[in-house]
Amino acid sequence: MTQALIVIASPDGTLKKNQQELLTLGRSLGETSVALVGDAAAAEAAAAFGAVVSYTAPAELGSFGAAAQAAFVAEAVARSGATAVLLENSVSAKEIAAVLGVRLNAGVVTDVVSLAADGAATKSVLAGAYTTVANSRGAVAVYTVKSHAVEPSEAPVAGRVEAIELPQDAYSTAARVVSRAAKPKSGRPELSEARIIVAGGRGVDGDFAPVEELADVLGAAVGASRVATDNGWIGHDSQVGQTGVVVSPQLYISAGISGAVQQKAGMQTSRVIVAVNTDEDAPVFEIADFGIVGDLFTVLPQASEEIRRRKG
Ligand SMILES: Cc1cc2nc3c(=O)[nH]c(=O)nc-3n(C[C@H](O)[C@H](O)[C@H](O)COP(=O)(O)OP(=O)(O)OC[C@H]3O[C@@H](n4cnc5c(N)ncnc54)[C@H](O)[C@@H]3O)c2cc1C
């Protein structure tokens, strides 16, 4: 039976939705345990999602880089006998996955959109033009999984907590994180976790108000093309695409974005894509499920108003 180990960073003792998804996915592979960096209170939440054992890290571990966290996860792999390690698909998790892959001589598959019970990992490549399935032949496989791969579901067990202490020389302490500042909250969902994203591009011409209004009516996150972020119309952390955030929401509304290959690379695996563009030949319409040829400054406010009316 596969032993799955889920790597979770929890600064506040809670689980984010994508971490709940990883735990749910882990259970579909086999018995599931957790390598937990951060607040050990998250072990209880992990047990609610079926984690039989939560391995907790030394308190100072989060102050060091990917190599330190990989050393901890490697020890958790050894103790749990895990053959599959699942991480979220963030930049920092991918860095840990890479170091872990080297340490364990394991196969590493990133950007996974679905994972079969036999470990076959599906990913969407070349700006979504192809779907590939990858199998790892090593004793351990490491996967970084995109949000929304599964619906999270609880399966409570009486989980056990096991603290892992690492020897002094297990990782380099040469570089240490000395301070962290929480990003001011926008009140909107995180881009990488959002079920709905409304994104704007050059077509907004500096005015994100209609995009933000529709996002707020839908409880959505706001995304952007690189042109919009490069122009300073919105922060760089809102950029979707090859060099931005790669997203996979249930619904992606693209407004005033042409649909360049680098933008598509970040959103093509969205379940439903709606595009609003004045140019009927815009490439975004090639991948859109619903296309509206029109001015976003007319279409988006109309949509917001109609949704508000239907919500009552
Ligand atoms: C190495 C590299 C990496 C890159 N990484 C990224 C990335 O991560 N993400 C990304 O997005 N781009 C990325 N790019 C840039 C990418 O190639 C495109 O230049 C960019 O995506 C275009 O942004 P846009 O669609 O907003 O602008 P444009 O391509 O200029 O398109 C604007 C669109 O808005 C429409 N429009 C104009 N006015 C309106 C209106 N009032 N209502 C409705 N529609 C309107 C136009 O018809 C047009 O289709 C990268 C490029 C390179 C070279």
Side-chain angles (χ1 to χ4, degrees), residues 201-202 225-226 239-243 256 258 262-263 277 295-296:
R202 195 195 300 274
S225 72
R226 182 156 139 181
Q239 184 184 316
V240 172
Q242 185 182 312
T243 45
S258 59
Q262 296 91 351
Q263 156 75 201
N277 198 303
D295 186 333
L296 71 91

Side-chain angles (χ1 to χ4, degrees), residues 163-176:
I164 292 182
E165 292 299 332
L166 294 171
Q168 283 278 302
D169 59 354
Y171 52 87
S172 165
T173 55
R176 177 190 275 268

Side-chain angles (χ1 to χ4, degrees), residues 94-125:
K94 283 181 182 172
E95 202 182 345
I96 297 168
V99 181
L100 191 63
V102 174
R103 278 191 86 110
L104 301 178
N105 194 23
V108 178
V109 189
T110 57
D111 302 327
V112 172
V113 291
S114 74
L115 190 55
D118 65 356
T122 302
K123 51 191 276 177
S124 174
V125 298

Side-chain angles (χ1 to χ4, degrees), residues 89-206:
N89 203 48
S90 63
V91 173
S92 54
K94 283 181 182 172
E95 202 182 345
I96 297 168
V99 181
L100 191 63
V102 174
R103 278 191 86 110
L104 301 178
N105 194 23
V108 178
V109 189
T110 57
D111 302 327
V112 172
V113 291
S114 74
L115 190 55
D118 65 356
T122 302
K123 51 191 276 177
S124 174
V125 298
L126 296 174
Y130 292 88
T131 298
T132 60
V133 179
N135 277 295
S136 168
R137 282 183 297 176
V140 180
V142 179
Y143 308 97
T144 69
V145 185
K146 287 189 180 181
S147 295
H148 311 302
V150 291
E151 268 302 309
S153 65
E154 294 196 15
V157 292
R160 167 168 81 73
V161 178
E162 194 174 314
I164 292 182
E165 292 299 332
L166 294 171
Q168 283 278 302
D169 59 354
Y171 52 87
S172 165
T173 55
R176 177 190 275 268
V177 177
V178 289
S179 73
R180 283 193 169 88
K183 201 175 100 188
K185 285 209 168 11
S186 70
R188 299 194 180 102
E190 280 275 320
L191 192 58
S192 58
E193 284 182 31
R195 291 177 66 81
I196 306 176
I197 294 171
V198 186
R202 195 195 300 274
V204 308
D205 200 17

